[in-house]
Amino acid sequence: MSAIQHNRTVLRTLEEGDQIEFNRGLYSHWAVYIGNGMVIHQYGDGHLYGAGKLLSKVCVIQSDFLDVASNPSNRMVKKNNDKDEKCSPLYKFEIVKRALSRLGQIGYHILWNNCEHFASWCRYDKSWSEQADRFLARFK
């Protein structure tokens, strides 16, 4: 199955409030599905995005799922609500409302305020990034 076919298959399974993980190899990009093929996520300038430091030019935007999925750096896309095993998700309408409330918000930090923190905050009311936690655990 081609990446485009895979992404369209994933899109058909998504429900409002789902978290989407875009695997980029060394790290993953995260978004919240809000319905009608649209996601909300943190996005920044290509040459600054993910540089591993505080990036004030990153902001929360709404994008077409297939446009985000077609980014060449996104290898594999999947619905990922795995944190449901540890946290109780909010109601779908509340998740979408929270995501929409952050549109235009500026600010990013790879360890304290990244796209996974944002997606988790929307779904669980808990700003949490497992990939940041794994990185920080190396220094304990």
Side-chain angles (χ1 to χ4, degrees):
M1 175 184 301
S2 74
I4 293 170
Q5 290 170 319
H6 170 80
N7 294 342
R8 289 176 194 261
T9 299
V10 170
L11 177 57
R12 285 192 294 273
T13 70
L14 294 174
E15 298 178 27
E16 290 180 355
D18 282 338
Q19 292 186 117
I20 307 161
E21 181 179 3
F22 301 87
N23 184 316
R24 293 188 171 172
L26 293 176
Y27 70 98
S28 292
H29 179 62
W30 291 75
V32 175
Y33 186 70
I34 62 166
N36 297 316
M38 301 302 289
V39 299
I40 296 182
H41 61 121
Q42 289 182 320
Y43 179 81
D45 210 286
H47 66 280
L48 293 175
Y49 190 67
K53 58 183 179 179
L54 178 62
L55 300 174
S56 61
K57 293 186 179 189
V58 173
C59 70
V60 177
I61 65 167
Q62 181 174 317
S63 301
D64 182 274
F65 168 84
L66 292 173
D67 288 347
V68 178
S70 69
N71 180 320
S73 62
N74 292 328
R75 296 180 181 178
M76 192 57 93
V77 178
K78 70 176 187 173
K79 175 168 81 172
N80 186 343
N81 296 322
D82 290 353
K83 292 179 187 144
D84 287 6
E85 297 171 10
K86 298 174 185 171
C87 300
S88 297
L90 300 171
Y91 292 108
K92 293 176 186 181
F93 77 90
E94 184 66 23
I95 298 166
V96 171
K97 180 180 171 184
R98 291 167 72 84
L100 289 168
S101 76
R102 294 285 174 100
L103 283 173
Q105 180 180 347
I106 296 172
Y108 178 91
H109 191 283
I110 196 163
L111 296 176
W112 317 118
N113 184 33
N114 67 39
C115 53
E116 186 180 3
H117 287 104
F118 168 74
S120 293
W121 175 83
C122 292
R123 187 167 176 86
Y124 307 107
D125 192 28
K126 181 176 181 177
S127 181
W128 175 23
S129 170
E130 289 181 325
Q131 57 191 342
D133 288 351
R134 282 190 303 272
F135 176 79
L136 290 169
R138 296 177 184 181
F139 302 99
K140 287 185 180 182

